[in-house]
Amino acid sequence: MKIISTKNYDDMSRKAANILSAQIILKHDCILGLATGSTVEGIYKQLIMQNRNGDVDFSGVHSVNLDEYVGLSGEHNQSYRYFMETNLFSQINVHRGNTHVPDGTAADAEAECIRYESLIKELGGIDLQLLGLGHNGHIGFNEPDDKFPLLTHRVQLKESTIKANSRFFEKEDQVPREAITMGIKTIMQAKRILLCVSGTAKAEILKQVLSGPVTPAVPGSILQLHPNLTVVADEDALCHL
Ligand code: F6R
């Protein structure tokens, strides 16, 4: 595990974006695993600038997102497809057909999970998976549990996650209760993982993830076992380590 400490959120965003661009420069047709949320917004802003400056070319890149809410279509402004379109895809030269997010409106969610898992395999696996960290230690939407869910699956969101995500919805009862998420095995099979964390509110959980016992009660703790994990976190997030 390599831990890169940054001064603040902006510094984290620049350093993480540079790692993603380096991956694309080294392998122009790489498969990126992408995430949504506040942590990655700054990283995507940096990637957009680098793409405009001609420093990084997304024309060969394929992407697979970690997760999507069940019941929200890509046009819904709180869906993760919509987030990706507005915060990244519409502003870089990626081929839209090469970008993949689970379909939250699939009539058969279980079949969608199987399709998504096979898609990742057919693409040849994820070269670099970008991750944020939930306040309860979740990665993707793999919530604290008594076992690690392995493959892409349908999941009931925890109350704490619904509360955390309600800031994006008008009312808490509008937050979807279920999601489709890559599983822990799907994530762990990525060749490289880049975990990004910012802020004191995540300092305690980051400490548990990086130095506590490996347990499904703290899903991110499994990352300690990944052979190629890079953590880019600001000083606030690293203050308990
Ligand atoms: C999003 C995802 C989540 C977030 C996590 C942190 O696709 O999979 O695991 O990375 O909830 O979210 P933020 O960055 O908003 O604190």
Side-chain angles (χ1 to χ4, degrees):
M1 174 192 324
K2 183 161 185 57
I3 301 180
I4 299 171
S5 171
T6 70
K7 285 194 280 295
N8 50 37
Y9 177 84
D10 287 343
D11 192 21
M12 176 202 74
S13 303
R14 281 194 302 274
K15 291 197 163 70
N18 287 344
I19 291 172
L20 284 155
S21 326
Q23 170 67 59
I24 300 167
I25 291 165
L26 289 169
K27 187 178 176 194
H28 79 282
D29 57 350
C30 64
I31 315 298
L32 294 182
L34 297 179
T36 58
S38 318
T39 310
V40 296
E41 268 177 41
I43 300 172
Y44 293 160
K45 284 201 177 89
Q46 292 294 324
L47 288 176
I48 291 165
M49 277 195 291
Q50 293 184 5
N51 186 232
R52 285 195 187 138
N53 294 341
D55 291 332
V56 64
D57 173 16
F58 286 84
S59 62
V61 171
H62 291 249
S63 70
V64 282
N65 262 77
L66 281 166
D67 42 17
E68 180 60 283
Y69 287 121
V70 167
L72 299 194
S73 79
E75 282 77 49
H76 190 289
N77 66 8
Q78 292 308 327
S79 73
Y80 286 173
R81 164 58 79 176
Y82 189 92
F83 177 98
M84 292 310 299
E85 291 295 331
T86 39
N87 288 285
L88 187 65
F89 298 154
S90 64
Q91 300 184 65
I92 57 171
N93 70 330
V94 72
H95 293 292
R96 209 51 57 83
N98 290 350
T99 68
H100 305 279
V101 181
D103 179 1
T105 62
D108 182 346
E110 272 68 37
E112 172 60 8
C113 295
I114 295 169
R115 182 196 71 83
Y116 204 70
E117 196 64 38
S118 325
L119 169 83
I120 296 170
K121 275 213 175 67
E122 277 158 28
L123 288 170
I126 298 167
D127 291 299
L128 176 58
Q129 175 67 56
L130 173 64
L131 294 177
L133 181 65
H135 288 93
N136 60 7
H138 74 217
I139 49 174
F141 268 136
N142 294 284
E143 300 279 29
D145 203 344
D146 51 12
K147 58 184 179 330
F148 288 111
L150 298 179
L151 302 177
T152 302
H153 61 287
R154 183 180 187 160
V155 65
Q156 303 275 343
L157 304 185
K158 291 270 183 227
E159 252 340 286
S160 58
T161 302
I162 293 169
K163 269 211 163 49
N165 292 355
S166 64
R167 66 192 194 273
F168 302 114
F169 292 79
E170 273 173 33
K171 291 190 197 138
E172 201 177 302
D173 62 8
Q174 293 174 342
V175 187
R177 268 43 192 170
E178 290 185 322
I180 292 175
T181 181
M182 282 185 200
I184 292 292
K185 184 173 172 192
T186 328
I187 293 171
M188 288 294 281
Q189 278 175 335
K191 294 173 191 104
R192 289 173 70 196
I193 294 186
L194 174 59
L195 173 69
C196 297
V197 190
S198 167
T200 46
K202 293 200 180 150
E204 179 50 40
I205 193 68
L206 183 60
K207 180 180 161 200
Q208 289 181 45
V209 162
L210 299 184
S211 62
V214 174
T215 163
V218 182
S221 63
I222 193 84
L223 297 173
Q224 291 177 36
L225 304 181
H226 195 280
N228 199 341
L229 169 68
T230 304
V231 182
V232 180
D234 60 20
E235 286 168 6
D236 283 348
L238 287 168
C239 69
H240 291 334
L241 274 144

